[in-house]
Structure formats: C-alpha cells, structure tokens
Amino acid sequence: MWKKTALFWLAAGLVLGACGNTAEEAGTKDAKPQTAEASNPGSKQTDETAPADSTAPAAEEQGKDAPKTEDAASETAGETADAGMQKADDPAAEPKTAKDKKDGSDPIQAAAAEEVPVEYHMNANYDIVPNEGSKAPKKVVLLTFDDGPKEAAMLNSMFDTLDKHKAKAIFFVNGYRVKEHPELLKLIQERGGIVGNHSYDHIYLNEQSNEEIKKQIEDVQTIVEKTIGEKPEFFRPPNAAGNDYAHQVAAENGLLYMTWSVGSLDWVNKDDPQAVIDNVFDQLHAGSNILMHELPWTVEALDDLLTRLEKKGYSFVDPRSIDTAKQP
C-alpha cells in the first residue's frame, strides 16, 4: 500500500516540475521586448530618465576642446587681422625707404638727415643774410652749380671736395638732363647735394608764353620728384632771364626764385681754373651767392677756391638753413 502511495507522489512531483519550467520559459520570452526597448538609446525612457546632471560634466569638458563656433572663429580672425594691421602700421615692421635709411651709419647720409635750423633768408640782391635776431654768422657764401647733371666723374670729384671742406651746395638741374641720366640726379641726392630747378630745356623764359614758362618750371618739379622722391625748393632761370610770371609760378610751386650775386664766369674763361678763383674774389662779399657750373676747370679750381675762402674767414651756408618761403 505504501509503495503505491510513494509512486503517486513521485509522479505528481514530476508533473508539477515540468509545468514550472514551461511557465519560466514563457515569462522570459515576454520580458525580451521590454528589455530591447529599454536598451534603445533613442527611446523616450532613456531621454527622460537620464539624470539631469549626469551628462553636464562631460559636455562641459567637451566644450574645452570642441571646435570654436562661427562667432568665436570670427572674433579670432578679427584679432588676427587687428594684429596684422598693427604690425603693418608699425614703422619698424615696414621696409624702410631710402630716405628713412639715413640712420647715421654713413657720415654723408647722416649729414643729409640731420635737422638744420632755418637761420638765413635771401635779400633783393640775391645775397644770403641772417634772419633778424639770429646769431648766425654773416660772413658766409652760398655755393651753386648750374646746368647739370652731366658726368658722374665730375660730380664725385666736386662732392669729394665739398665733403673735405664740410660744405653744401645747390645743384640747379635741367629737366632734359635728368631724363637722360636719372642716375646722376640720384647720385647728387645720395652724396648730400641740394637739388634746384633750372628749367626743363635751359631756354630764355622771358621770351616764352606764360603756358610754356609754367611747363618749363613744373615739368622739372615733376621729373625730379619722380626720380628722387622730393621736389626742389630753389629756382634759377637760365641766363637770369625771367619775368613776373616766372616769379609767380615759382612761388606757386614753393620755390625760392634767385639768380646770383657773384658770377665765377667759368662759362666764359674756359679751361682756366685760376680765372674762376680770381673772378669770385673780385666780387666777394658777405652773403655772396656764387654761380658756378659743372665744368672740368671749375672742378679743378674748387678745392683751392674753398681753401682760400676759409682763409679769408668765410664759411659755407647750408642751403637747407635758408627760408625758402621768404621771397625778397
């Protein structure tokens, strides 16, 4: 009897165990869809249930290394542009022009670049005299050379002598010569000469129309500025042949109109250096405005002439110290 009872309960246990396994498998299959939805990164549950501060530190950290926004990039570009403009505006950052490069490393350039006080003016006799109240010496001469530029050899020899005596001079140039040899005008500037306007074609201006007079003067201003970057401030009409209109045009162009008060007559006494010296001393006086030319015998006479002038107590007025705005 007991054996039948034991078998009954054993059979019942097997049946109940089989039913439980089936129910567990059925529950697992139903849970899979929910698990899949919950694991979907784009699900509503993920967006809403994520802790509010859980991603903030990561986003903040990411922002440190993230590419800049358009506004930020524009701001950076603007700062770079501003820096570039500041550099461009900085004189030290730009190539220096030939005038700016007169930095004192060369004695001749240093002399050309120095500040020269304006202490003289020209009177009605074309003499150079001290300004009222100035203590500048009266016993001076102004050295001038007309009709160039012609030859580099003559110019360099003249400048060697001028440098030896620490003298400056005006070189009154013709426009057609500058056109033929612009390098010679540059040589005059490089060696510290002061450039003057002597008309374009070296013609008698008093025989020309007003239109031609204006052209003869202003064309020289133009070609000289184009060649060396600065305009003349002195004008001398060829053969001293000017008129009221020539005076007017000169003044309109900021030019001091002058002829001379001592003529060397080097254009008359050819091949005679001693005659050049004698003619100057025959007319010499304080403030003498000495007319000479770029001629071989004048170049030969120049050192002796300047030496004798110094022995007589004369010094050489720097043309840059003359008030060009004060017409006689």
Side-chain angles (χ1 to χ4, degrees):
M1 182 67 182
W2 64 271
K3 290 182 180 179
K4 291 182 179 179
T5 303
L7 291 172
F8 172 80
W9 287 112
L10 177 62
L14 292 173
V15 173
L16 290 173
C19 291
N21 288 339
T22 304
E24 184 178 353
E25 290 178 3
T28 302
K29 290 179 181 179
D30 291 341
K32 284 182 181 178
Q34 182 177 359
T35 304
E37 182 177 349
S39 65
N40 184 355
S43 68
K44 183 176 180 181
Q45 179 182 357
T46 303
D47 293 341
E48 291 180 350
T49 59
D53 297 331
S54 63
T55 58
E60 181 178 347
E61 193 66 28
Q62 183 182 7
K64 292 181 181 179
D65 299 326
K68 296 181 181 295
T69 62
E70 183 176 350
D71 291 342
S74 299
E75 182 178 353
T76 302
E79 291 172 357
T80 304
D82 290 343
M85 291 176 65
Q86 289 174 0
K87 184 176 181 181
D89 292 338
D90 181 4
E94 294 182 345
K96 294 181 179 295
T97 64
K99 187 173 182 180
D100 292 331
K101 288 180 179 176
K102 295 176 182 176
D103 57 3
S105 58
D106 180 89
I108 297 174
Q109 289 187 341
E114 66 183 346
E115 290 291 334
V116 178
V118 177
E119 298 181 304
Y120 292 91
H121 65 277
M122 190 179 67
N123 65 19
N125 191 50
Y126 301 114
D127 289 326
I128 307 303
V129 297
N131 293 335
E132 185 177 352
S134 172
K135 295 182 180 180
K138 295 180 180 180
K139 202 171 181 180
V140 297
V141 298
L142 175 65
L143 305 174
T144 70
F145 300 93
D146 287 13
D147 297 358
K150 294 179 181 177
E151 296 179 13
M154 282 197 292
L155 284 171
N156 278 317
S157 179
M158 293 165 75
F159 277 112
D160 288 345
T161 301
L162 291 171
D163 291 344
K164 175 183 175 181
H165 294 272
K166 296 180 173 60
K168 293 287 183 182
I170 302 175
F171 290 78
F172 284 99
V173 302
N174 298 124
Y176 79 92
R177 292 189 185 276
V178 173
K179 183 178 180 180
E180 291 172 353
H181 293 287
E183 75 281 0
L184 296 181
L185 186 68
K186 294 176 182 177
L187 174 62
I188 292 174
Q189 183 191 51
E190 289 167 0
R191 297 219 49 181
I194 287 76
V195 178
N197 184 327
H198 197 42
S199 85
Y200 200 92
D201 292 307
H202 200 277
I203 57 180
Y204 287 86
L205 296 182
N206 60 346
E207 297 178 356
Q208 310 303 317
S209 66
N210 285 354
E211 181 181 1
E212 182 60 26
I213 291 172
K214 184 177 179 68
K215 180 175 175 59
Q216 285 288 318
I217 295 173
E218 293 186 347
D219 282 0
V220 174
Q221 295 296 95
T222 299
I223 195 170
V224 168
E225 183 179 29
K226 181 179 179 181
T227 305
I228 61 172
E230 53 190 40
K231 294 181 180 180
E233 295 183 352
F234 301 93
F235 172 70
R236 174 177 284 164
N239 305 297
N243 56 24
D244 289 343
Y245 187 70
H247 275 272
Q248 177 184 326
V249 174
E252 289 172 352
N253 284 273
L255 291 159
L256 177 60
Y257 184 110
M258 68 166 68
T259 59
W260 59 89
S261 60
V262 171
S264 67
L265 298 179
D266 58 355
W267 65 96
V268 176
N269 302 118
K270 297 182 178 180
D271 299 316
D272 192 347
Q274 187 58 47
V276 174
I277 297 171
D278 293 341
N279 287 329
V280 169
F281 275 87
D282 285 347
Q283 308 164 65
L284 185 64
H285 58 273
S288 292
N289 182 346
I290 304 174
L291 167 63
M292 294 175 281
H293 293 78
E294 188 185 324
L295 295 167
W297 49 93
T298 304
V299 174
E300 185 179 345
L302 190 58
D303 187 27
D304 192 16
L305 172 62
L306 301 190
T307 299
R308 290 180 59 182
L309 285 168
E310 288 175 316
K311 288 181 178 179
K312 285 273 189 181
Y314 285 88
S315 57
F316 311 109
V317 67
D318 190 324
R320 297 170 299 175
S321 69
I322 301 172
D323 186 354
T324 57
K326 190 173 183 179
Q327 301 283 340

